[in-house]
Amino acid sequence: MSARRRSAQRAGASTSGVGSLRTVWTISRMVARGRQAQDSLTGVLSVLAFAVATAALLVTAGGPQAFARRAGGLDPEVGDPAAIYVVLAVVATALLVVPILTLGGVAARLALARRDQRLAALRLAGATSGQVTALTLLEAGMQAAVGAGAGVAAYAVALVPVGLLRFDGRALGAGDLWLGVPIVLAVALGVVLLALGAAGSTLARVVVTPLGVAARHTPRAQSVLRLVLALVVAAVWTLGFQLLGQAGTGVLVLAMVAMVATVNVVGPWFVQVSARIAARAARRPTTLLAARRIADDPQTTWRSVGALCLGVIVAACGGAMASAFSARPDPATPHLADDLVTGCAVALTILALVAVTSSGVVHATRVYDQRGILQAQALAGTPLSQLRAVRRREVTLPLTVGVGLATLQGGLLMAPAAATAFNAGALVLFAASIVGSFVVALASVRASDGLVREAVAMA
């Protein structure tokens, strides 16, 4: 009897497992249809952000490989003219990795709040923890996989025009920029794992406290420890630059990545403080509303301008190095100054695409998240023009703070290496990056004005 009972239990467990998978698949299809009827744009934007992040990461990683093949490896002999190109390519990649990964984080968190609401509702309706887990991972993984696949296709298309760029008097070549199937697949897999990791952070809140998620609690305030950490990293970079250089190129590049990454660490804290000050000193309702929204969620606000601010840092560093090499030309590398300008243009182009995508995605998502608030304000008599003015203030205030922070960061990065680097050419490049950041940010806000009009029309 006991053997029959155990056999029956195993059969029942197997049937239960198959039934659970069928239930998860059925629920996922129902949720997808419901989302398509309400806000399918959220999923499209998420896929687009994953695609841009994947393509940008692959193109950026192809640069050091191309120069390394010319030099015979990533560690060429000291004094070899090709060595400077390898080092500069690695530095450029290190600077670009931070905003690209930030875009990946934006893509992963894009539908986070809306996913929280749907999964919390399913959890309260009786869905099990296993079903919620499977549903979340399925949705996040599918979006990331589609986006990564599109990004790989875009990278393959971009190989030809990027390969035509000339460095050191000859074209890069599409073959040298191709990373190979294993690396490309590894990058795509990393993008999917990033999305699954963000989905896992959602599950920790939904499974444990679905009522708290449904109530939409205000995000926690940014800690002053962010500022302390940024100051420590800046002090190590400024005071220990010579020691970092003696430790090797790898250590110096890692230190530079840490220095650039602190912008994303301390940026939300500065945005929060500036928003609170603006709210207290506000004399117009648009400024007051914008400042309060920013202070309520400075982390999300920073994501809409973070890549633009990092572009200012890249322009500052690249312009300073180009100016320095122009002032002290080396006969062994006659094309270096012009090549630095070309490299900066490529880096800023990649960063501009990343920034446009990141800013546009964040602003569109914020409109969806604030539909209830926008409809309530419209019913209270707030004109559409004022609602749009508030959204513009939500961008200009944190962007002004971020550009100021990026200017200081760029100065700290380049001061130890070249104190007199900022000549006229560098200042022009730097000024163009600042103006471009405001143009991109305001254009992204304006592009989502139609969503605001639709939300108000539903009131």
Side-chain angles (χ1 to χ4, degrees):
M1 291 295 293
S2 60
R4 290 183 179 179
R5 187 178 296 110
R6 286 195 298 268
S7 178
Q9 288 175 351
R10 286 195 296 269
S14 177
T15 304
S16 176
V18 174
S20 179
L21 292 176
R22 290 177 179 174
T23 302
V24 170
W25 179 249
T26 302
I27 294 175
S28 66
R29 292 173 60 188
M30 294 172 62
V31 171
R33 285 196 297 266
R35 183 173 65 248
Q36 186 176 6
Q38 295 179 7
D39 54 351
S40 60
L41 183 60
T42 302
V44 174
L45 290 176
S46 181
V47 170
L48 175 63
F50 279 124
V52 173
T54 303
L57 190 59
L58 291 171
V59 172
T60 302
Q65 175 180 271
F67 289 112
R69 286 180 175 177
R70 287 185 176 185
L74 283 172
D75 189 19
E77 297 181 1
V78 177
D80 187 351
I84 187 63
Y85 283 91
V86 176
V87 173
L88 291 175
V90 172
V91 170
T93 301
L95 291 175
L96 289 175
V97 161
V98 176
I100 292 173
L101 292 181
T102 300
L103 175 59
V106 169
R109 298 181 182 93
L110 175 58
L112 194 62
R114 193 153 297 280
R115 186 184 298 142
D116 280 352
Q117 293 293 305
R118 296 195 306 269
L119 297 179
L122 290 173
R123 188 79 173 92
L124 292 172
T128 65
S129 300
Q131 290 172 344
V132 170
T133 300
L135 182 62
T136 301
L137 296 180
L138 177 63
E139 180 184 6
M142 288 182 63
Q143 288 184 349
V146 173
V152 170
Y155 162 65
V157 173
L159 287 176
V160 175
V162 176
L164 295 176
L165 296 175
R166 301 182 66 83
F167 288 90
D168 198 19
R170 52 184 174 142
L172 280 178
D176 288 339
L177 290 170
W178 172 247
L179 296 171
V181 174
I183 296 179
V184 171
L185 292 179
V187 171
L189 179 60
V191 171
V192 175
L193 292 178
L194 176 64
L196 294 178
S201 66
T202 307
L203 290 172
R205 296 192 300 271
V206 174
V207 173
V208 177
T209 59
L211 285 174
V213 172
R216 296 185 66 86
H217 292 303
T218 300
R220 291 184 301 175
Q222 302 297 309
S223 173
V224 72
L225 293 178
R226 290 173 173 264
L227 177 61
V228 175
L229 176 61
L231 291 176
V232 170
V233 174
V236 170
W237 172 267
T238 304
L239 301 178
F241 181 78
Q242 296 296 334
L243 295 177
L244 292 172
Q246 295 174 4
T249 303
V251 175
L252 187 63
V253 171
L254 289 176
M256 177 176 289
V257 173
M259 184 67 176
V260 175
T262 56
V263 177
N264 280 332
V265 174
V266 75
W269 184 84
F270 274 106
V271 167
Q272 174 184 267
V273 172
S274 62
R276 290 176 177 176
I277 295 174
R280 293 176 182 175
R283 296 183 179 180
R284 296 181 179 180
T286 53
T287 303
L288 178 61
L289 288 173
R292 286 184 174 178
R293 287 183 184 177
I294 294 171
D296 180 65
D297 194 1
Q299 185 73 40
T300 301
T301 302
W302 175 257
R303 292 190 192 112
S304 66
V305 300
L308 298 172
C309 298
L310 286 167
V312 175
I313 295 179
V314 171
C317 297
M321 286 189 292
S323 301
F325 283 111
S326 296
R328 298 185 293 273
D330 186 351
T333 54
H335 305 283
L336 184 56
D338 293 336
D339 291 342
L340 276 168
V341 175
T342 303
C344 287
V346 173
L348 289 177
T349 300
I350 295 174
L351 194 54
L353 293 174
V354 171
V356 167
T357 306
S358 179
S359 183
V361 163
V362 170
H363 290 309
T365 305
R366 284 177 69 88
V367 173
Y368 274 85
D369 290 338
Q370 296 173 357
R371 278 188 294 187
I373 298 174
L374 294 172
Q375 291 169 4
Q377 291 175 338
L379 291 173
T382 306
L384 182 60
S385 59
Q386 190 169 10
L387 294 177
R388 290 175 174 173
V390 171
R391 296 185 67 245
R392 286 193 294 270
R393 296 288 176 88
E394 286 186 67
V395 173
T396 54
L397 176 60
L399 185 57
T400 302
V401 174
V403 167
L405 186 62
T407 302
L408 176 62
Q409 195 85 345
L412 289 175
L413 277 168
M414 295 309 302
T420 60
F422 281 101
N423 64 10
L427 288 176
V428 169
L429 182 63
F430 183 66
S433 68
I434 294 176
V435 174
S437 65
F438 280 93
V439 171
V440 169
L442 293 175
S444 299
V445 174
R446 188 172 183 82
S448 58
D449 279 347
L451 299 176
V452 177
R453 184 170 56 251
E454 292 178 5
V456 171
M458 296 172 60

PDB file of all heavy atoms in Angstrom, residues 2 343 449:
ATOM      1  N   SER A   2       1.948   1.222   0.814  1.00  0.00           N
ATOM      2  CA  SER A   2       2.800   2.408   0.904  1.00  0.00           C
ATOM      3  C   SER A   2       3.466   2.712  -0.437  1.00  0.00           C
ATOM      4  O   SER A   2       3.617   3.873  -0.824  1.00  0.00           O
ATOM      5  CB  SER A   2       3.859   2.211   1.982  1.00  0.00           C
ATOM      6  OG  SER A   2       4.667   1.079   1.667  1.00  0.00           O
ATOM      7  N   GLY A 343      37.707  59.996 -32.365  1.00  0.00           N
ATOM      8  CA  GLY A 343      37.279  59.095 -31.310  1.00  0.00           C
ATOM      9  C   GLY A 343      36.266  59.728 -30.377  1.00  0.00           C
ATOM     10  O   GLY A 343      35.291  59.085 -29.964  1.00  0.00           O
ATOM     11  N   ASP A 449       4.796  64.714 -24.800  1.00  0.00           N
ATOM     12  CA  ASP A 449       3.657  65.597 -24.515  1.00  0.00           C
ATOM     13  C   ASP A 449       2.345  64.993 -24.994  1.00  0.00           C
ATOM     14  O   ASP A 449       1.287  65.227 -24.400  1.00  0.00           O
ATOM     15  CB  ASP A 449       3.876  66.972 -25.171  1.00  0.00           C
ATOM     16  CG  ASP A 449       4.801  67.856 -24.340  1.00  0.00           C
ATOM     17  OD1 ASP A 449       5.052  67.507 -23.170  1.00  0.00           O
ATOM     18  OD2 ASP A 449       5.267  68.879 -24.860  1.00  0.00           O
TER      19      ASP A 449
END
